[in-house]
Amino acid sequence: MGRLDRLMANGAWLLTHLEALVLYHPYGLSDHSAMQLVSSPPFPSGPKPFKFFNAWTLEESFLPAVREAWAMNINGSAMFRLANKLKTLKVVLKKWSRGVVGPMQDNIQQLRRSLEAAQESLQRDPLNSTLISRETRERILYKSLLSREVSMIRHKSRQN
């Protein structure tokens, strides 16, 4: 456990949260472990704020979703139109992210299995140009998806 992989609390908080514990999650691709604070009673929560992730811009379907939301015709002052377009964009991006980015972990696992199968086939027939192309293509896709996931994890770690 490194210096950054720790949680701090003062005595007053500890006295009011006697059942609190910290869970350390696997390191994965990072050099630090994610931590989860489990407290009883649970922290009060309200609606989740909207968060924009730079990694979204790497998805092919991102710009068309933004253009569609932004193309809406709204009457009123410039500030009113801007505020309403941003509200609409927020709703569109939340829905879009659940459909596109949400299944990212499943896509990564599926692509990893596919890459492993391609690499096993290539080991059996190393001069097969079709297998070489398939392995290269899947390796590039896998790296791309992993880098997007890492980018989102880093972004989340800075916001929370």
Side-chain angles (χ1 to χ4, degrees), residues 5 22-28 32-38:
D5 299 331
V22 178
L23 302 175
Y24 293 90
H25 297 283
Y27 284 89
H32 294 286
S33 175
M35 293 182 290
Q36 179 181 2
L37 175 63
V38 179

Side-chain angles (χ1 to χ4, degrees), residues 3-159:
R3 282 181 141 194
L4 297 177
D5 299 331
R6 297 185 185 169
L7 187 104
M8 294 175 55
N10 65 25
W13 189 90
L14 289 172
L15 289 174
T16 60
H17 297 85
L18 296 174
E19 302 295 320
L21 63 113
V22 178
L23 302 175
Y24 293 90
H25 297 283
Y27 284 89
L29 297 174
S30 176
D31 56 351
H32 294 286
S33 175
M35 293 182 290
Q36 179 181 2
L37 175 63
V38 179
S39 174
S40 180
F43 292 118
S45 63
K48 290 173 76 175
F50 176 73
K51 296 179 183 177
F52 178 83
F53 297 99
N54 291 334
W56 289 354
T57 62
L58 301 173
E59 296 290 334
E60 288 180 23
S61 59
F62 173 77
L63 275 180
V66 171
R67 283 189 189 111
E68 180 184 332
W70 208 253
M72 227 174 91
N73 192 13
I74 299 173
N75 295 322
S77 69
M79 185 58 77
F80 179 81
R81 289 193 314 264
L82 175 64
N84 278 287
K85 284 188 176 196
L86 288 173
K87 285 179 186 178
T88 301
L89 182 60
K90 173 183 160 181
V91 171
V92 167
L93 287 179
K94 278 187 170 185
K95 182 179 177 185
W96 172 86
S97 72
R98 281 191 297 273
V100 174
V101 181
M104 184 182 292
Q105 191 63 35
D106 294 337
N107 293 342
I108 288 172
Q109 296 302 326
Q110 181 181 0
L111 199 51
R112 182 185 52 78
R113 286 190 297 272
S114 181
L115 176 61
E116 287 171 355
Q119 289 172 339
E120 288 171 4
S121 297
L122 190 58
Q123 284 179 344
R124 288 189 295 274
D125 190 4
L127 299 178
N128 185 325
S129 62
T130 304
L131 292 176
I132 292 170
S133 296
R134 177 180 159 211
E135 191 274 341
T136 301
R137 191 173 49 252
E138 293 191 6
R139 185 171 19 88
I140 290 169
L141 282 171
Y142 183 65
K143 279 184 171 181
S144 172
L145 210 51
L146 280 179
S147 72
R148 289 178 189 173
E149 182 186 43
V150 168
S151 173
M152 296 219 15
I153 289 169
R154 283 187 181 142
H155 194 102
K156 283 181 180 179
S157 72
R158 283 186 230 122
Q159 287 188 346

